[in-house]
Amino acid sequence: MTITDPIYRVLNKDEFDKYRDIWLECLKTFPDNFGPSYEEESENTTLKFSHVFNDSGTNDFVFGAFSKDELVGICGFITERMKKTKHRGHITQMFVRNKFSGQGIGGKLLEES
């Protein structure tokens, strides 16, 4: 499915359910690429990025790619917590739904994050 004019932005606190849905799809689609299993995460009410949807005061975030109202890709960023390294972070949970692959969405998510 081709996207025209996708929107890239940080997910807001009201989009936890959209994030959870795409994250579970990610785990189901690529079970060997991520630490948690679909079974484990589908039973959890809190996830690795739950804190960013609750105004945690960290610099962590989840960036999303949208086609209209549908969240089609995610890219998470977690900052280091130690004093000497808090200026660094890690990209995690990078995923674009299969039906939207091959359009440069993943690359744009990384650029925008």
Side-chain angles (χ1 to χ4, degrees), residues 57-73:
T58 70
N59 291 324
D60 303 348
F61 60 87
V62 178
F63 214 77
F66 289 84
S67 174
K68 299 182 181 165
D69 289 335
E70 182 180 1
L71 180 60
V72 302

Side-chain angles (χ1 to χ4, degrees), residues 35-97:
S37 71
Y38 171 81
E39 293 76 22
E40 290 171 324
E41 291 288 81
S42 64
E43 294 174 8
N44 287 334
T45 56
T46 60
L47 304 172
K48 184 175 189 171
F49 279 99
S50 292
H51 66 284
V52 304
F53 296 94
N54 298 319
D55 300 321
S56 66
T58 70
N59 291 324
D60 303 348
F61 60 87
V62 178
F63 214 77
F66 289 84
S67 174
K68 299 182 181 165
D69 289 335
E70 182 180 1
L71 180 60
V72 302
I74 56 172
C75 183
F77 185 82
I78 293 184
T79 55
E80 293 277 340
R81 302 287 187 251
M82 297 186 328
K83 188 176 183 177
K84 286 183 173 180
T85 59
K86 65 182 178 181
H87 63 284
R88 298 188 302 208
H90 304 277
I91 299 286
T92 184
Q93 295 188 358
M94 177 67 182
F95 176 70
V96 175
R97 289 190 158 131

Side-chain angles (χ1 to χ4, degrees), residues 8 101 106:
Y8 298 91
S101 65

